[in-house]
Amino acid sequence: MTAMLFEQLLRSVTALALVVALPIYFLLRPEQLSKIGLAAGVLGLLPAFALLSAFWSAVPQTTIYYGTEYLITVLIGIVIGVALNSHQALLGLFVAFAAHAVASMLIGGYTLVGRAGSSVVELAFIGIMASKNQAADASGVGMLIASAVAVFAVGFRRYFLALCALIVLVIDVWMVLRADSTGALVAAMLAAMAMIAMQFGRVLSVQARTMLFITITTTLSLAFALRSFWFDAVMGSILKSAGKDATLTGRTYIWEQASRLIEANPAFGLGYNAFWNVGNPDAELIWKFGGIAEKRGFNFHNSATEILVHLGYVGFTLFAVVIGALALILAIRVTRRPEAFGTFAVAYLFFMGIRTPVESFGLNPFSYATALIFAILSFGLRNEHRRRATRNR
């Protein structure tokens, strides 16, 4: 996870570290292979379909190359979510994101951004990431992890760890504010509130938590179903108050181009990672529009759109069914037995759910967000009964 967070600095070293780390881990811990079987079988359907798309991809070799990286990323996430002890996984994530926070604060940089309806240009914090949105997302996730670790540490009377978590939390809050990403700030705040509510819910009975879960799930489902009546108005109000561009910094243009691509290849898409390639006229046009000189690290700024362009409606349906089912299993599990990692996991999915309409997550290879999403989804499939039985022997 640390290598992925430092990818902008490490570049190709990140890929090498991740490719080598997974086989070494299983060579040292071969017994862990049996623990990831169920999660790998279910979640493995997604990278398998990505690799399968090489048969119809516009650039099959590129699809196979990045599809293999995607498979490795998914497996790393599964190991974090299933094979590791949940406390070890949470502390490991905390160390990685704490290192990212400290490094960003010490050696991180800034970028220039404009304000809607104004010629004023301001500085926005990007830390050690490629953009301010990436910096804000990583810091928002760091806020959630630090909060979860602080609660865990106080519960086990590890007060020095709690102090460290609070320090990292302050740094992450500062970075989200300095990154000037309204969406990440709102998502982080709402997700933190959800996690706090789940922590307070631990004092309730299982029956009371179940009723609360049903109520919240029903409310969120209705809100999602009726989003066409309220989402644009709410987002418009937030963007206006923050002085943001109503087109979300050109995202509407990118989405228009994506719609055209989806109409041309509706069933199976262009193939995994087959669009953002140097030499592709459509990609070159968007890079030129966005002023992306490096021609890398760009996306359609919408998770559903990203999947539809590359894997079509067939791939989107597969992703939606697998992710939706595992998210529900996770929520039920945490409702019945809330713990530090579990409450963080649900809060993180909440954070991602808010961000997916304006950012792309879960499809990028060697990305901390992709690995973390799969770690959290696989967490719901952990065999805790077997683990407790093993500890009791």
Side-chain angles (χ1 to χ4, degrees):
M1 188 63 69
T2 305
M4 297 182 199
L5 286 167
F6 283 78
E7 188 271 340
Q8 193 66 17
L9 295 178
L10 299 177
R11 298 288 184 175
S12 59
V13 176
T14 295
L16 178 62
L18 296 175
V19 169
V20 171
L22 202 59
I24 289 178
Y25 175 79
F26 285 122
L27 281 173
L28 297 176
R29 304 288 300 277
E31 73 280 1
Q32 301 293 350
L33 280 169
S34 62
K35 296 179 181 178
I36 71 168
L38 177 60
V42 176
L43 288 169
L45 291 172
L46 306 185
F49 187 81
L51 283 166
L52 183 66
S53 69
F55 284 103
W56 61 84
S57 173
V59 280
Q61 293 163 328
T62 300
T63 294
I64 292 172
Y65 178 82
Y66 287 110
T68 302
E69 289 187 350
Y70 186 52
L71 174 62
I72 294 171
T73 308
V74 170
L75 289 175
I76 290 173
I78 292 172
V79 168
I80 294 172
V82 177
L84 299 181
N85 175 280
S86 61
H87 291 165
Q88 292 175 344
L90 182 61
L91 292 176
L93 290 174
F94 173 68
V95 170
F97 278 85
H100 167 264
V102 173
S104 294
M105 184 178 67
L106 294 178
I107 63 173
Y110 287 78
T111 189
L112 294 173
V113 295
R115 289 286 184 182
S118 173
S119 59
V120 176
V121 177
E122 298 180 357
L123 287 174
F125 185 72
I126 62 172
I128 58 172
M129 307 301 269
S131 70
K132 72 183 189 69
N133 288 332
Q134 290 181 16
D137 283 326
S139 300
V141 177
M143 286 172 55
L144 298 178
I145 294 173
S147 300
V149 169
V151 172
F152 162 80
V154 171
F156 283 86
R157 298 182 180 180
R158 298 169 67 174
Y159 299 116
F160 179 73
L161 177 60
L163 177 61
C164 292
L166 289 175
I167 293 172
V168 173
L169 177 60
V170 171
I171 296 173
D172 280 319
V173 170
W174 177 82
M175 289 196 297
V176 171
L177 293 172
R178 294 297 297 161
D180 193 32
S181 176
T182 305
L185 178 61
V186 172
M189 290 173 61
L190 292 176
M193 290 168 60
M195 188 163 62
I196 292 170
M198 284 184 284
Q199 290 295 332
F200 279 113
R202 298 176 68 176
V203 302
L204 302 176
S205 65
V206 175
Q207 292 79 5
R209 289 200 300 269
T210 302
M211 287 301 300
L212 183 62
F213 167 72
I214 293 173
T215 302
I216 293 174
T217 302
T218 303
T219 302
L220 291 176
S221 298
L222 286 172
F224 180 79
L226 300 173
R227 67 190 183 282
S228 60
F229 295 99
W230 61 268
F231 183 79
D232 289 341
V234 172
M235 281 302 299
S237 177
I238 293 174
L239 290 171
K240 184 178 180 180
S241 63
K244 297 288 185 177
D245 182 6
T247 67
L248 292 168
T249 320
R251 283 178 173 85
T252 52
Y253 168 78
I254 298 172
W255 294 336
E256 288 171 1
Q257 300 306 308
S259 296
R260 181 176 56 80
L261 294 167
I262 294 168
E263 289 177 5
N265 302 274
F268 295 100
L270 297 173
Y272 179 74
N273 240 315
F275 180 78
W276 299 108
N277 293 289
V278 176
N280 179 1
D282 292 324
E284 295 280 356
L285 190 65
I286 295 176
W287 279 324
K288 183 178 180 180
F289 170 80
I292 309 299
E294 290 187 352
K295 299 182 181 182
R296 65 186 297 271
F298 207 60
N299 56 63
F300 286 105
H301 290 284
N302 180 289
S303 297
T305 299
E306 199 77 43
I307 296 172
L308 287 168
V309 169
H310 291 100
L311 301 176
Y313 282 98
V314 175
F316 177 78
T317 301
L318 177 63
F319 271 71
V321 170
V322 171
I323 292 175
L326 292 184
L328 181 60
I329 291 172
L330 172 66
I332 293 172
R333 180 194 186 99
V334 174
T335 299
R336 296 179 60 186
R337 187 172 179 267
E339 59 169 309
F341 190 91
T343 54
F344 156 71
V346 173
Y348 178 71
L349 287 185
F350 190 59
F351 176 85
M352 288 288 104
I354 298 172
R355 296 290 286 147
T356 50
V358 292
E359 294 295 342
S360 294
F361 298 107
L363 205 64
N364 298 321
F366 291 167
S367 160
Y368 82 87
T370 300
L372 194 51
I373 287 170
F374 282 93
I376 281 167
L377 291 173
S378 63
F379 179 74
L381 299 177
R382 291 167 64 94
N383 190 340
E384 287 295 336
H385 294 294
R386 184 176 69 182
R387 289 170 182 270
R388 284 196 290 269
T390 302
R391 286 196 297 265
N392 291 335
R393 287 197 188 110

